[in-house]
């Protein structure tokens, strides 16, 4: 599992309990930033989760792909967090385990 970039240690995500390889690459406030290892054909992106809310953001350039249960102001806050951590998030994307590696 890829260690968190900064902040407190990441708790095991629910996906890990279901046997999915989903490294939490960043925790910031209530948000978990995760990268799924089984999306090799897509450009660099990150999934952001909080409680039952989830969003997907492309990393270069940073823009929202889709979101559920997040308010607009919260999505703008998440964009600023991603922009502040863009390089480490892209590095985490490039280092993610791929299905062929498993």
């Amino acid at each position: 599992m890829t260690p968190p970039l900064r902040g407190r240690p990441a708790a095991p995500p629910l996906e890990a309990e279901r046997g999915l390889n989903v490294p939490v690459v960043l925790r910031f406030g209530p948000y978990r930033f995760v990268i799924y290892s089984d999306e090799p054909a897509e450009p660099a992106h990150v999934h952001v989760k909080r409680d039952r809310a989830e969003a997907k953001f492309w990393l270069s350039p940073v823009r929202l792909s889709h979101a559920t249960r997040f308010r607009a102001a919260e999505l703008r806050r998440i964009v600023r967090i991603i922009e502040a951590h863009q390089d480490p998030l892209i590095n985490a994307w490039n280092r993610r385990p791929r299905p062929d590696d498993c």
Side-chain angles (χ1 to χ4, degrees):
M1 180 178 256
T2 304
L5 297 175
R6 75 176 230 194
R8 61 189 162 107
L14 297 175
E15 294 85 353
E17 294 172 9
R18 294 193 302 254
L20 298 175
N21 186 8
V22 185
V24 175
V25 296
L26 174 66
R27 271 196 184 269
F28 197 99
Y31 309 113
R32 288 185 302 131
F33 294 76
V34 301
I35 294 175
Y36 293 101
S37 62
D38 62 349
E39 299 178 319
E42 295 196 21
H45 65 276
V46 67
H47 297 265
V48 183
K49 299 177 179 231
R50 180 196 44 78
D51 303 322
R52 294 184 59 193
E54 183 170 357
K56 178 178 176 179
F57 288 87
W58 305 113
L59 293 175
S60 185
V62 176
R63 66 185 191 283
L64 176 67
S65 171
H66 63 271
T68 57
R69 296 190 172 118
F70 277 118
R71 294 184 178 186
E74 202 169 10
L75 291 169
R76 289 190 298 272
R77 183 179 317 126
I78 293 168
V79 164
R80 289 191 301 271
I81 294 168
I82 292 171
E83 288 172 342
H85 296 88
Q86 186 176 17
D87 289 339
L89 288 169
I90 290 172
N91 288 338
W93 171 267
N94 291 331
R95 291 189 323 266
R96 77 194 184 285
R98 292 177 173 84
D100 294 340
D101 297 340
C102 301

